[in-house]
Amino acid sequence: MRMFDLTGKVAIVTGGNGGIGLAIAEGLVAAGASAMLAGRNRDKGLRAANGLGDRAAFEVADVTRKAACDALVAATVARFGRVDILVNNAGTSLRKPPQHFTETEWHTIIDTNLTSAFLMSQAIYPELVRAGGGKIINIGSLNSLLAAPHNVPYTASKGGIMQMGRGLATAWASDNIQVNSILPGWIETDMTVTAKAAVPGLAESVVARTPAGRWGQPRDLAGLAVFLAAPASDWITGTAIPADGGYSIRA
Ligand code: NDP
């Protein structure tokens, strides 16, 4: 068995047009897969797909919408002929005390980070069954495990995506579908630039608490994503694996 070879496999990466999603897509393509990147920003998406070469494409999709999720899967099958791997990476964040969130803000965060992953998993399921199995990789967060006062809706969504993944893992194991979560630590992306700027001392405190002594980079997550997409992880399902330079085990 070629344990880490993804030749001939096709992946969908939501939010694959930048940050962590793009780095994961790069890893999957380097391992032999084709990748359909999805997001709302077309220019950013086309640039990202062009940068990955012939085995990548981009489709505009707002994955909070069921119809868009179904259309994304259909477009991927039309372009590449099949789908084997789904990376539920699209996400958003907003920091403030819980009493100050509006109802709309709550729904935006839950829909973007959690509902989208469920709708995409539903949309891709028939294709994975047709392919004889497949892999779903959910991007959680250390907030899947830990809590903080300033991002309660985000924490709820990230706890939810991890638990949703465990549920899907039990439901679809008999279809040879493995579902796992990656829990990234602090990674330098567009999402964290604003937090870094807004929270005095955050940049330094992350470095101080992280045993590895630095912020993570998007590429730090690519290897784990390839592993969870590859035959090497066929006996692993329902797990949630931190990738955080040791942040979460520091006492
Ligand atoms: P970015 O802001 O760089 O990426 C977020 C991506 O999600 C963008 O590509 C964006 O594309 C896409 N997206 C947002 N809303 C939608 C939507 N409705 N439909 C389709 N795509 C959407 O942040 P990161 O790369 O940091 O975040 C990626 C994931 O990693 C998120 O789930 C985040 O919660 C998680 N994470 C990040 C951490 C970090 O430290 N950076 C730590 C832990 C988890 P577009 O705007 O074009 O739609």
Side-chain angles (χ1 to χ4, degrees):
M1 175 169 67
R2 300 177 68 188
M3 286 192 296
F4 297 98
D5 185 8
L6 298 180
T7 303
K9 303 291 186 187
V10 176
I12 295 175
V13 183
T14 70
N17 54 359
I20 290 170
L22 179 53
I24 286 176
E26 277 173 353
L28 298 177
V29 169
S34 299
M36 177 63 87
L37 316 182
R40 296 161 304 172
N41 185 323
R42 177 184 293 278
D43 289 346
K44 196 174 153 191
L46 292 176
R47 268 200 311 278
N50 285 339
L52 295 187
D54 291 347
R55 277 188 284 110
F58 173 76
E59 194 70 20
V60 172
D62 175 351
V63 292
T64 64
R65 309 270 168 214
K66 178 171 166 43
C69 295
D70 293 341
L72 174 58
V73 172
T76 306
V77 174
R79 174 72 172 76
F80 295 114
R82 58 187 288 145
V83 198
D84 307 275
I85 300 155
L86 168 64
V87 183
N88 283 315
N89 166 78
T92 191
S93 175
L94 185 60
R95 299 169 65 93
K96 54 181 159 174
Q99 61 272 28
H100 294 161
F101 278 88
T102 67
E103 186 181 357
T104 301
E105 288 167 342
W106 166 269
H107 284 300
T108 298
I109 292 166
I110 297 294
D111 287 355
T112 306
N113 297 358
L114 177 57
T115 308
S116 68
F118 187 67
L119 295 177
M120 280 302 304
S121 299
Q122 282 189 317
I124 205 174
Y125 174 71
E127 292 303 326
L128 298 187
V129 171
R130 205 184 329 277
K135 306 281 189 174
I136 298 177
I137 302 167
N138 293 320
I139 307 303
S141 162
L142 292 186
N143 284 125
S144 301
L145 305 171
L146 310 173
H150 54 263
N151 62 357
V152 170
Y154 183 84
T155 299
S157 71
K158 292 300 186 178
I161 195 172
M162 179 180 72
Q163 281 296 87
M164 184 200 72
R166 288 175 171 159
L168 294 180
T170 64
W172 295 344
S174 58
D175 296 306
N176 191 29
I177 297 168
Q178 289 85 47
V179 187
N180 292 286
S181 295
I182 293 175
L183 312 183
W186 285 95
I187 311 290
E188 282 181 325
T189 66
D190 290 351
M191 185 179 281
T192 49
V193 161
T194 42
K196 246 182 168 180
V199 183
L202 176 65
E204 297 75 18
S205 71
V206 168
V207 172
R209 177 169 168 171
T210 305
R214 65 172 174 85
W215 278 64
Q217 297 301 317
R219 65 175 175 276
D220 288 319
L221 303 169
L224 179 54
V226 169
F227 169 65
L228 292 176
S233 62
D234 279 355
W235 190 236
I236 297 173
T237 197
T239 66
I241 305 175
D244 63 356
Y247 186 99
S248 59
I249 50 90
R250 183 87 177 233

